Amino acid sequence: MQKQKRPFCQTKAYRNLTEDEITQLTEEQAREQFTLFRWGSTTEMPCPNCGEADKHYARRSRNQWRCKHCYSDFSVTTGTPFLNRKLPFKTILHLIYDFIAAPKGLAANEYNAKRGITLRTGFLNYHKIREVLFETRDLTPLAGLVHVDGGHFCGKPRRPRQRQQVTSGIVNNKLRNRKASMIPGGQTPVMEPWNRDKLKNRRIAIVLREIGKKGDGANRTIVAVAMSENALNAIPIIRKYVLPGSQVWSDDGHAYKRLPLWYDHDCVTHSKEYSTNNGVNNNQAESYFSRLRRAEYGVYHGMRKQYFAFYANEFAWRADMSKKSLGEKYADAMEKIFKCGPSKAWRGYAQGHRLAFEYFG
Ligand SMILES: [Zn+2]
């Protein structure tokens, strides 16, 4: 019998960084780790204000440096998403580790008490990491074979007060997983206006995944948020992120009917099959949605439309990093933090400022 290949996340090579390695650090060592990730040195660095690299004057008691050229004071978090931090460096490192090590997303209420912080602090800091991953994502157009699909998220109405009329026939069909259970007869319950209004918060994630070698799944994932799944919304996103002339596989939705104008397009009719006789499918896009869907229902329990692009991109990152070890994921997140300036979406959140616009990606 052929031995089944274990997923990479269950191998020893994946576990090359454990939580203990962060727990053992002193606060001084944690700050040093931050400094090394940012500048690769603890003594010589460019001034964030004027850009001059030098061995600046150390202000040890304040954990700062004073620039030899422009005399401004700076610390390792100056000009990063963690500027004006109040949390110890070690706690921030712990939060980053928690975030990258969680396989299915991480809700703040899972860790806040354990890390000794409030729910809001946990929420804010995890979201700062999501924003970093969003701001630094690779948007180079995809090529080769690309799987495309749209998934509906956010804006869930509650079940109506009255239940749908159910007969034993429908229950029977449902138990046997028959198609008929999806079109139940009888009276359709009325949805109250306040409940129907929740549908206005619905957003569509359009996902594009470049397929790698056979059996390797997807190489790279780009996801954008749209207001609805139609050609008007979907086509510009696909044309922006997929090189013309590439091969695109999608389902038979109306949104994708015009794709043959620019691409070698094939589609699979999902009401009939998951993969055509020629092997055409969009299963990599579906696989991405299955994870995001489970995170929405099982981990986050709700995603606000303003930040939905952050969540969607978080899962694109998790999917693309699935063949990387914990150490590599940690280093990737740390390096990206220093490629970003101060947070745009979360600045002043603790002071009550809320985002006035939506991210679409
Ligand atoms: Zn300077």
Side-chain angles (χ1 to χ4, degrees):
M1 204 176 81
Q2 200 186 2
K3 205 179 161 198
Q4 207 173 5
K5 207 177 141 204
R6 264 190 301 173
F8 180 63
C9 63
Q10 289 175 26
T11 60
K12 196 173 178 200
Y14 176 74
R15 305 186 293 266
N16 61 356
L17 178 70
T18 62
E19 189 178 341
D20 285 351
E21 286 171 50
I22 296 169
T23 310
Q24 282 159 8
L25 295 176
T26 61
E27 177 62 8
E28 182 56 37
Q29 286 168 331
R31 192 175 70 94
E32 207 173 283
Q33 200 184 101
F34 244 78
T35 317
L36 286 173
F37 266 113
R38 181 164 189 184
W39 292 307
S41 157
T42 52
T43 47
E44 197 176 334
M45 68 279 293
C47 159
N49 188 35
C50 67
E52 289 284 344
D54 209 328
K55 288 183 175 171
H56 298 292
Y57 308 115
R59 309 189 72 205
R60 285 185 215 290
S61 62
R62 307 192 57 175
N63 288 334
Q64 283 181 340
W65 292 270
R66 176 161 288 174
C67 175
K68 279 186 178 172
H69 304 269
C70 69
Y71 300 104
S72 63
D73 292 342
F74 63 91
S75 78
V76 64
T77 54
T78 301
T80 73
F82 291 105
L83 89 166
N84 296 338
R85 81 204 153 83
K86 295 195 184 69
L87 290 179
F89 282 105
K90 202 169 145 177
T91 308
I92 298 178
L93 292 183
H94 263 305
L95 292 175
I96 294 167
Y97 183 80
D98 295 341
F99 184 87
I100 61 108
K104 300 175 180 184
L106 189 60
N109 67 356
E110 202 169 327
Y111 270 86
N112 73 303
K114 201 170 159 188
R115 299 282 169 239
I117 54 178
T118 62
L119 179 60
R120 193 176 63 183
T121 308
F123 177 80
L124 184 61
N125 282 284
Y126 286 144
H127 255 306
K128 279 187 180 174
I129 305 170
R130 281 186 201 111
E131 188 189 3
V132 163
L133 300 179
F134 178 82
E135 295 290 350
T136 54
R137 73 219 145 109
D138 178 6
L139 293 178
T140 325
L142 306 170
L145 171 60
V146 180
H147 287 194
V148 173
D149 203 5
H152 298 226
F153 295 86
C154 313
K156 296 255 178 306
R158 287 190 192 171
R159 284 183 190 177
R161 186 176 59 80
Q162 285 177 319
R163 298 196 61 184
Q164 209 153 26
Q165 199 179 318
V166 175
T167 63
S168 59
I170 291 170
V171 173
N172 247 329
N173 283 334
K174 213 168 205 169
L175 287 173
R176 282 160 186 75
N177 214 358
R178 285 184 190 148
K179 196 86 187 166
S181 70
M182 290 156 74
I183 329 155
Q187 164 209 352
T188 316
V190 182
M191 207 185 272
E192 289 96 337
W194 62 267
N195 206 8
R196 190 179 292 279
D197 274 356
K198 290 191 178 176
L199 280 171
K200 289 182 188 157
N201 294 330
R202 178 142 299 195
R203 294 293 178 268
I204 315 299
I206 306 271
V207 73
L208 313 151
R209 302 195 72 189
E210 185 182 285
I211 306 305
K213 284 205 306 277
K214 193 171 166 51
D216 266 6
N219 278 339
R220 203 150 65 79
T221 309
I222 294 181
V223 59
V225 178
M227 295 297 281
S228 66
E229 192 181 4
N230 54 24
L232 200 67
N233 284 295
I235 300 280
I237 291 172
I238 298 169
R239 290 194 63 197
K240 187 172 168 192
Y241 295 128
V242 183
L243 280 182
S246 306
Q247 202 179 0
V248 176
W249 287 357
S250 72
D251 62 27
D252 59 336
H254 274 292
Y256 313 111
K257 287 274 191 283
R258 281 169 57 219
L259 282 180
L261 287 176
W262 304 280
Y263 301 104
D264 171 9
H265 177 230
D266 274 305
C267 68
V268 52
T269 309
H270 271 167
S271 56
K272 277 196 293 194
E273 55 203 356
Y274 297 114
S275 174
T276 67
N277 292 339
N278 303 329
V280 174
N281 65 77
N282 68 348
N283 291 345
Q284 287 304 319
E286 301 293 347
S287 137
Y288 165 87
F289 284 134
S290 102
R291 296 208 166 88
L292 185 59
R293 182 86 55 207
R294 275 158 182 72
E296 182 183 32
Y297 281 122
V299 180
Y300 298 126
H301 298 204
M303 302 186 280
R304 298 287 89 78
K305 61 183 177 188
Q306 289 91 329
Y307 309 118
F308 176 54
F310 290 178
Y311 287 110
N313 182 68
E314 172 192 346
F315 282 84
W317 181 81
R318 288 189 193 282
D320 291 350
M321 296 299 280
S322 66
K323 304 264 163 48
K324 299 273 195 282
S325 69
L326 279 172
E328 287 170 313
K329 286 194 209 180
Y330 182 75
D332 184 72
M334 286 299 278
E335 280 156 19
K336 284 179 172 166
I337 284 169
F338 298 116
K339 286 184 187 152
C340 285
S343 168
K344 290 197 275 291
W346 301 99
R347 202 174 214 178
Y349 183 84
Q351 289 76 40
H353 297 290
R354 293 295 180 268
L355 207 59
F357 62 94
E358 269 182 60
Y359 279 88
F360 283 100

Tab-separated table of all heavy atoms in Angstrom, residues 47 49-51 67 69-70 72, ligand 1:
chain	number	residue	atom	x	y	z
A	47	CYS	N	18.620	56.772	10.194
A	47	CYS	CA	17.678	57.545	11.005
A	47	CYS	C	16.327	57.587	10.286
A	47	CYS	O	16.279	57.911	9.104
A	47	CYS	CB	18.240	58.953	11.197
A	47	CYS	SG	17.004	60.178	11.632
A	49	ASN	N	14.128	59.697	10.424
A	49	ASN	CA	13.753	61.070	10.106
A	49	ASN	C	14.506	61.595	8.875
A	49	ASN	O	13.885	62.060	7.917
A	49	ASN	CB	14.010	61.963	11.331
A	49	ASN	CG	13.463	63.355	11.129
A	49	ASN	OD1	12.425	63.517	10.500
A	49	ASN	ND2	14.158	64.339	11.654
A	50	CYS	N	15.854	61.500	8.880
A	50	CYS	CA	16.623	62.072	7.760
A	50	CYS	C	17.244	61.011	6.863
A	50	CYS	O	17.741	61.322	5.785
A	50	CYS	CB	17.693	63.024	8.287
A	50	CYS	SG	18.982	62.182	9.211
A	51	GLY	N	17.223	59.752	7.299
A	51	GLY	CA	17.713	58.680	6.440
A	51	GLY	C	19.210	58.438	6.519
A	51	GLY	O	19.726	57.528	5.879
A	67	CYS	N	19.795	61.004	16.587
A	67	CYS	CA	20.481	61.055	15.293
A	67	CYS	C	21.683	62.008	15.371
A	67	CYS	O	21.580	63.100	15.909
A	67	CYS	CB	19.488	61.516	14.227
A	67	CYS	SG	20.261	61.738	12.623
A	69	HIS	N	22.926	63.482	12.907
A	69	HIS	CA	22.845	64.484	11.832
A	69	HIS	C	21.708	65.470	12.053
A	69	HIS	O	21.894	66.668	11.919
A	69	HIS	CB	22.700	63.774	10.485
A	69	HIS	CG	23.818	62.804	10.245
A	69	HIS	ND1	24.980	63.144	9.602
A	69	HIS	CD2	23.961	61.502	10.634
A	69	HIS	CE1	25.802	62.088	9.581
A	69	HIS	NE2	25.196	61.081	10.198
A	70	CYS	N	20.497	64.942	12.376
A	70	CYS	CA	19.373	65.869	12.543
A	70	CYS	C	18.937	65.973	14.003
A	70	CYS	O	17.992	66.696	14.312
A	70	CYS	CB	18.195	65.467	11.654
A	70	CYS	SG	17.396	63.940	12.181
A	72	SER	N	17.228	64.232	15.896
A	72	SER	CA	15.901	63.782	16.337
A	72	SER	C	16.044	62.446	17.074
A	72	SER	O	16.967	61.675	16.802
A	72	SER	CB	14.957	63.632	15.131
A	72	SER	OG	15.444	62.642	14.269
B	1	ZN	ZN	18.365	62.053	11.398
